[in-house]
Amino acid sequence: MRDLFGLQLLSAKDKAIAQLKRQHRCSVHGQKVWRSASLMLDYLNEYPLAAGLNILEIGAGWGLVGIYCAKHFNARVTALDVDPQVFPYLQLHAQLNQVTVAPLVADYQTLGAQQLAQFDLVLGSDICFWDQLAGPLTGLIQTAKGVGRRVIIADPGRPPFIEVIETLLAQDEHKALALENWSVPHPYNVNGLILDTGAPYVEL
């Protein structure tokens, strides 16, 4: 077990994780915690959220970002993922960290304005890893902004995510979003980008 920004995270060698991997084989890259989650956790540690928000984590995987928000900001968290096999890992870590996270099996590409309006904030980390995901993620961010909802996305800087950024900047004449280079040396040496629609500036 390791401590990750105040969260308890089981290692891949833990017996409980090994057992889950025998029983639940993830199909859409949900087999582990991706390092971009550290970028998001460090960003939220630097810029804390208001307490009690209703948060949607998309492409949640093991759900550490949502679990962090539930634990540190008393957030009501819904974790969305297209692969139901990730949720036993998520629930194990939610229990370990003594919080409750509601699972939702769905594709974030299907979310419309009415559904997004139910949440105060949408979070995602490393969810734009295929070229065909750039368009849907751009659409989701635009839809969320259209109903006045903040979106924060962390990414290692993959080409599809760069495409999302370029499209948003080209279409947003007010540049009402933040883009920051972010680095977290510990516990992983990881670098990437944070896109935050809740800040009125752009930093490249």
Side-chain angles (χ1 to χ4, degrees):
M1 186 182 299
R2 67 183 62 184
D3 182 279
L4 185 66
F5 295 94
L7 294 182
Q8 298 301 305
L9 171 62
L10 297 175
S11 73
K13 297 180 180 180
D14 185 88
K15 291 182 180 179
I17 295 296
Q19 182 177 356
L20 285 180
K21 287 189 174 182
R22 289 192 294 269
Q23 298 173 340
H24 302 278
R25 296 186 178 275
C26 302
S27 59
V28 192
H29 300 302
Q31 73 274 16
K32 66 177 184 178
V33 175
W34 294 91
R35 292 189 176 187
S36 290
S38 295
L39 296 175
M40 179 69 80
L41 296 182
D42 191 56
Y43 185 77
L44 296 177
N45 184 59
E46 184 73 18
Y47 300 110
L49 302 174
L53 295 180
N54 192 12
I55 293 176
L56 175 66
E57 182 184 3
I58 57 175
W62 292 18
L64 289 193
V65 171
I67 291 170
Y68 178 89
C69 292
K71 184 172 184 177
H72 291 279
F73 307 127
N74 196 30
R76 301 182 303 278
V77 178
T78 299
L80 178 151
D81 202 287
V82 71
D83 183 4
Q85 298 301 317
V86 304
F87 290 114
Y89 300 88
L90 184 152
Q91 294 297 357
L92 175 62
H93 282 95
Q95 293 170 8
L96 185 64
N97 287 281
Q98 300 180 321
V99 299
T100 299
V101 174
L104 175 60
V105 181
D107 189 333
Y108 73 76
Q109 300 181 43
T110 66
L111 298 177
Q114 185 174 4
Q115 292 167 298
L116 292 172
Q118 298 174 24
F119 301 95
D120 302 303
L121 173 64
V122 179
L123 299 174
S125 55
D126 214 340
I127 58 171
C128 196
F129 42 82
W130 292 330
D131 291 343
Q132 59 265 37
L133 295 176
L137 181 57
T138 302
L140 180 141
I141 294 171
Q142 292 170 327
T143 301
K145 288 183 66 179
V147 293
R149 297 302 182 260
R150 182 183 181 189
V151 181
I152 309 176
I153 306 292
D155 192 89
R158 302 181 194 278
F161 188 66
I162 299 300
E163 180 181 337
V164 171
I165 292 168
E166 291 175 344
T167 301
L168 291 172
L169 291 177
Q171 295 178 353
D172 187 356
E173 61 180 274
H174 301 294
K175 300 295 186 289
L177 55 85
L179 175 63
E180 296 197 37
N181 292 302
W182 208 264
S183 178
V184 183
H186 302 290
Y188 308 114
N189 185 18
V190 56
N191 300 284
L193 298 170
I194 301 288
L195 175 66
D196 186 348
T197 68
Y201 63 90
V202 175
E203 180 179 323
L204 294 173

